[in-house]
Amino acid sequence: MRTNKSQTVFWTELVTGEWSLFLAATTKGLCYVGSLNKPFDELVAWTNKHFPNCTLVEDAAALEPYTTQITEYIEGSRKQFTIPFDYQGTPFQLAVWDALCQIPYGETKSYSDIAQQIQKPAAVRAVGTAIGANPVLITVPCHRVIGKNGALTGYRGGLEMKTKLLELEGAGQHTKGRMQNA
């Protein structure tokens, strides 16, 4: 958990093509990737919850390594991320997020697949909750998790963003027309 000590969180807005995302990082690494085309208020609310005494500082230069890799991904020239992260979670959340990072580009897994992978087969709903708490969309690829029946299910960034990411990776054809909020 975070301490009450004041910390600086650097942020920038990444705009490329139809994509507009707010990104944030600490000196340790990327800590937040926002939802597609959402206002700055989403980042402010997230930092108030996770870094309650932080100072938000706009600094495009500090976030350049992150914006470069995410832009390369969106443009189709990057399939893996090599940037550092600074995300905090419970041991269970960290296990889920680590499992997400093992899903290959262009492939999808179900929530029950992830539960099996982390050796908690009965924890499918908890896996979904941990995925929903993923603070670094795209880079920790929670968009690659779909319902067991192949349906697109809930996504912190919204189903439109999830669909775009899966289509970008060539995984969207498996789920077209089968979206649901769950």
Side-chain angles (χ1 to χ4, degrees):
M1 295 311 292
R2 301 280 179 195
T3 65
N4 286 330
K5 186 176 137 191
S6 182
Q7 181 171 9
T8 300
V9 174
F10 303 97
W11 69 272
T12 193
E13 182 178 13
L14 167 64
V15 178
T16 181
E18 298 176 3
W19 295 79
S20 172
L21 307 163
F22 286 97
L23 310 180
T26 66
T27 56
K28 295 178 184 175
L30 186 68
C31 64
Y32 176 84
V33 175
S35 305
L36 181 63
N37 302 322
K38 293 294 183 184
F40 182 68
D41 293 347
E42 183 187 55
L43 170 60
V44 171
W46 184 87
T47 53
N48 284 342
K49 181 177 180 181
H50 297 280
F51 293 86
N53 295 312
C54 80
T55 302
L56 273 172
V57 175
E58 184 175 11
D59 190 338
L63 278 100
E64 190 273 333
Y66 312 110
T67 58
T68 295
Q69 287 199 19
I70 293 171
T71 299
E72 290 169 351
Y73 168 84
I74 290 169
E75 292 174 350
S77 63
R78 175 173 291 278
K79 294 183 178 183
Q80 293 182 282
F81 295 95
T82 58
I83 50 180
F85 295 102
D86 181 15
Y87 52 74
Q88 303 291 314
T90 66
F92 183 83
Q93 288 173 323
L94 295 174
V96 169
W97 300 340
D98 288 344
L100 297 177
C101 290
Q102 294 173 34
I103 304 171
Y105 180 95
E107 295 183 21
T108 58
K109 299 258 183 183
S110 71
Y111 293 90
S112 56
D113 291 337
I114 300 300
Q116 290 286 342
Q117 185 175 338
I118 64 168
Q119 300 179 3
K120 303 276 187 195
V124 176
R125 285 184 188 258
V127 164
T129 300
I131 290 171
N134 172 18
V136 283
L137 299 178
I138 302 172
T139 54
V140 172
C142 54
H143 60 276
R144 296 180 187 154
V145 180
I146 60 175
K148 195 171 189 171
N149 64 356
L152 292 187
T153 55
Y155 182 67
R156 179 174 69 81
L159 291 180
E160 175 189 5
M161 182 177 181
K162 185 172 189 165
T163 301
K164 285 181 181 230
L165 292 168
L166 290 172
E167 288 173 353
L168 178 76
E169 294 186 11
Q173 70 273 9
H174 303 296
T175 56
K176 248 191 201 324
R178 294 164 52 178
M179 288 199 258
Q180 67 184 29
N181 281 314

